[in-house]
Amino acid sequence: MKLYYTPNSPYARMCRIVADQAGLTDAIELEWVTLRSKDNPVISLSPLGRVPVLVDGDLTLAEARHICAYLDEKGGRTQTVARYGDWQAVAAETEALAFLDAITVWSREVRRAKEDQSDFLLEVEEEQARRELAHLNATLTVPAGAPPLTFRTICLFTALGMMRFYKLVPDWRETYPAVAAWSAAYDTLPIVAATAPSADALKPLTR
Ligand SMILES: N[C@@H](CCC(=O)N[C@@H](CS)C(=O)NCC(=O)O)C(=O)O
């Protein structure tokens, strides 16, 4: 199997974490691509050229949630993605994914040249993110034992990782202490540390 990715893509990060949990790390070749470049090999597989994309034989699969579900099935030892039928879990997962989407849009905007940034968009994304952070702060509790790695929790700490990396909410630890405590429980996991966004992998945002 081959997973096309960029090191700082949160969606690809989720797939890499689930692959690790599923025991498939050695079965997956990772190919780091350059987004928005004509040479991006993903374009020939999927016209939008987005990552992550997983190729396994004649299957080309996009969308992190589908890839993670596929890896769960392929590895046969995890169930990170909620099953259709378990609608409460699907609903919780969807909210976490929407939070990640909001953080991703926001982080992409702050990477643009200052004069190109939209104040409107920055404001909307911050409002959305802070509403979710307040909700999480009121509901998350630090796991008693090993923190569970489900698609929802992976989404949440990945979104928080992006938020921290791009310094989107500088006061997040003080304003949302329960979120900070919850997130700290995940930071120590080796696969979480190994896949964290890095300044070395940051490329300029090109059109
Ligand atoms: N809904 C998609 C989102 C994937 C996505 O937005 N990927 C970004 C990287 S984080 C991308 O490839 N963007 C293309 C671009 O920036 O040109 C998923 O869940 O996989």
Side-chain angles (χ1 to χ4, degrees):
M1 283 183 283
K2 188 183 255 198
L3 181 71
Y4 294 89
Y5 83 114
T6 65
N8 286 349
S9 161
Y11 301 95
R13 183 184 187 196
M14 293 195 291
C15 299
R16 290 156 67 205
I17 292 170
V18 171
D20 175 75
Q21 292 301 294
L24 293 171
T25 304
D26 292 343
I28 295 181
E29 182 192 342
L30 288 175
E31 182 163 340
W32 178 351
V33 304
T34 301
L35 297 175
R36 277 164 260 117
S37 107
K38 289 202 176 68
D39 302 336
N40 177 1
V42 176
I43 293 172
S44 63
L45 300 165
S46 164
L48 290 173
R50 302 200 306 187
V51 291
V53 165
L54 181 80
V55 177
D56 188 14
D58 62 0
L59 175 70
T60 298
L61 194 59
E63 288 294 317
R65 190 177 186 280
H66 298 326
I67 295 172
C68 290
Y70 184 76
L71 296 175
D72 276 343
E73 186 181 289
K74 191 93 181 173
R77 70 182 205 200
T78 53
Q79 180 67 56
T80 55
V81 175
R83 291 178 204 279
Y84 282 163
D86 187 356
W87 295 112
Q88 295 294 348
V90 171
E93 207 172 63
T94 304
E95 183 184 308
L97 194 50
F99 178 47
L100 175 59
D101 290 342
I103 292 287
T104 302
V105 170
W106 190 5
S107 66
R108 193 171 298 156
E109 192 64 12
V110 300
R111 288 172 62 201
R112 299 173 74 209
K114 198 81 186 156
E115 62 274 16
D116 290 340
Q117 293 178 16
S118 155
D119 289 343
F120 170 77
L121 195 145
L122 293 172
E123 205 174 299
V124 167
E125 296 311 324
E126 175 161 8
E127 274 176 19
Q128 281 188 6
R130 284 192 183 272
R131 280 201 302 272
E132 177 64 16
L133 284 165
H135 170 69
L136 292 173
N137 200 54
T139 51
L140 283 180
T141 49
V142 177
L149 287 168
T150 63
F151 187 77
R152 172 179 175 262
T153 60
I154 296 170
C155 252
L156 287 179
F157 70 69
T158 300
L160 294 170
M162 290 279 282
M163 183 190 84
R164 291 156 64 180
F165 184 68
Y166 291 103
K167 301 183 172 47
L168 299 176
V169 184
D171 60 301
W172 77 285
R173 285 182 197 284
E174 305 79 58
T175 310
Y176 312 104
V179 175
W182 180 89
S183 161
Y186 285 91
D187 285 344
T188 54
L189 299 179
I191 187 62
V192 173
T195 55
S198 101
D200 292 344
L202 198 57
K203 293 197 174 165
L205 195 64
T206 53
R207 287 171 196 255

